Amino acid sequence: MDILKEIISKPKSTIITELDVQIDNKKINKNTVVEIGDQKKQYTVEQLAYFIVNKDLMYTQYLKKCKEQNIGPIFYTDQKIIFEELQKFREEMPQYHFGLPEDKYLSKNDYSWIKKFFNEKEDKPIIRSDNEPFKIVVPSSIASLINLSNIEHFLKNGEVVKNNTLILDKVETFFNGKLFVIEDTIIDWTSDDWKRLVGIFVDGSSWQVAEWKIGDIAGLFSKIPVFYLYEEGNETTEALDGYKINRIKLTNKKCKKEDLENVLNSITEICDSPDNGL
């Protein structure tokens, strides 16, 4: 895709019109589809060009501009794939500073990375290996009903036991024949980490998801099962209203047997699928 080489080398000369992506005197149909990543996610040249031109924007600003221009955004996990692919070529191509986040470098003469950037591998599905643990995310606050200190007990017994011990590390647990790593932060996650995500527990607070700095929360919650535990009279989900969430009522700190089974089955269903859609 020579046009994308030009976009990267001449972002200020790139213009997206009603029909085309133009660079100097070159034109390409903006609806031309390009596949990226091992999962062959499909995006148009318009989407890729708009992302590259606006690479320095915060994700929320980028989403706002996409909406204003009626251009579909590149999902945040796929952006991560793009930046990771660029990072792989950093040592090979140190001559030209492109100004990408984290000081990624490209060569002004060698564009061989483009072929790897846009997937040219065999057309076969990516199946996650069961020898790698799946990931579950929980709230980080010890004030939350569920967190790292009691999530393992809940998954095994359906009971929320209050524990004021602050756990600063990850928690490993095993159920339904699968190994899980439970974390309370997504900072520094790679695209591979996102592909292993199979469940999210929320506490109803706005800051929990705000600290993730993810613009498309609705898109994330539509693909991954999300659970909110609450006690009668203490349900606070205003910050999450409108999102796809499984609400689980606790009675005397314990949920119904069928509710726990639904949690485990929903998580296992994502584990058994070829990918989680991220």
Side-chain angles (χ1 to χ4, degrees):
M1 296 295 293
D2 291 338
I3 188 70
L4 292 174
K5 300 177 188 178
E6 298 291 338
I7 293 172
I8 291 172
S9 61
K10 301 177 182 178
K12 293 183 179 180
S13 301
T14 300
I15 300 174
I16 300 174
T17 70
E18 186 176 350
L19 298 176
D20 308 298
V21 172
Q22 300 180 5
I23 303 175
D24 295 333
N25 295 322
K26 296 182 180 180
K27 296 182 180 180
I28 186 171
N29 188 314
K30 69 177 186 179
N31 295 318
T32 300
V33 175
V34 178
E35 295 178 338
I36 66 170
D38 292 337
Q39 293 177 298
K40 293 197 172 184
K41 296 291 185 68
Q42 293 187 338
Y43 290 104
T44 64
V45 169
E46 177 187 48
Q47 289 175 290
L48 291 167
Y50 198 72
F51 169 64
I52 292 172
V53 169
N54 293 284
K55 60 182 172 52
D56 294 323
L57 291 179
M58 293 289 291
Y59 187 66
T60 51
Q61 294 175 315
Y62 165 69
L63 288 176
K64 182 178 180 180
K65 287 180 67 70
C66 284
K67 185 175 182 180
E68 291 173 351
Q69 299 298 322
N70 196 29
I71 296 175
I74 292 181
F75 198 55
Y76 57 92
T77 51
D78 294 336
Q79 292 184 13
K80 192 75 174 179
I81 292 173
I82 292 173
F83 287 136
E84 286 174 357
E85 288 297 320
L86 295 176
Q87 179 65 33
K88 292 177 183 178
F89 296 91
R90 179 175 180 177
E91 294 182 359
E92 298 176 14
M93 297 168 283
Q95 302 175 24
Y96 177 65
H97 183 224
F98 182 53
L100 283 172
E102 301 175 3
D103 291 325
K104 297 176 175 61
Y105 290 81
L106 305 178
S107 169
K108 62 182 179 181
N109 299 314
D110 181 6
Y111 289 103
S112 62
W113 63 273
I114 289 288
K115 292 183 179 179
K116 296 181 180 179
F117 185 108
F118 299 105
N119 181 41
E120 293 185 355
K121 299 179 181 179
E122 294 182 8
D123 189 8
K124 56 184 179 181
I126 302 301
I127 306 297
R128 295 172 297 187
S129 172
D130 280 341
N131 60 8
E132 296 181 28
F134 295 97
K135 289 181 176 286
I136 297 173
V137 174
V138 298
S140 59
S141 172
I142 61 173
S144 300
L145 269 177
I146 202 77
N147 51 45
L148 285 179
S149 69
N150 58 11
I151 180 63
E152 185 175 17
H153 183 83
F154 172 77
L155 291 173
K156 292 182 177 180
N157 302 283
E159 181 183 21
V160 173
V161 177
K162 199 62 178 176
N163 189 337
N164 291 324
T165 302
L166 181 61
I167 298 179
L168 300 178
D169 203 355
K170 305 170 185 178
V171 172
E172 287 192 357
T173 190
F174 190 88
F175 63 84
N176 286 359
K178 304 181 188 302
L179 177 63
F180 298 86
V181 170
I182 306 172
E183 304 180 42
D184 61 5
T185 179
I186 62 170
I187 296 175
D188 297 328
W189 270 26
T190 67
S191 59
D192 287 334
D193 292 319
W194 283 106
K195 292 174 185 176
R196 307 296 299 179
L197 178 62
V198 294
I200 300 171
F201 285 81
V202 295
D203 59 10
S205 64
S206 58
W207 64 264
Q208 180 189 357
V209 293
E211 70 177 1
W212 295 349
K213 300 186 184 304
I214 294 173
D216 190 10
I217 294 296
L220 175 63
F221 285 8
S222 69
K223 295 178 172 65
I224 304 299
V226 181
F227 309 101
Y228 171 70
L229 308 183
Y230 70 96
E231 297 175 297
E232 187 172 3
N234 291 317
E235 185 175 7
T236 56
T237 58
E238 291 83 359
L240 300 174
D241 284 347
Y243 294 122
K244 183 180 179 182
I245 296 175
N246 297 286
R247 289 171 166 78
I248 300 173
K249 181 180 177 180
L250 301 176
T251 302
N252 296 324
K253 304 294 184 180
K254 197 173 181 68
C255 73
K256 295 179 180 178
K257 180 180 179 181
E258 53 266 34
D259 287 337
L260 178 60
E261 290 177 350
N262 177 60
V263 170
L264 301 181
N265 290 337
S266 297
I267 291 174
T268 302
E269 184 177 345
I270 299 296
C271 295
D272 291 337
S273 64
D275 65 75
N276 61 7
L278 298 182

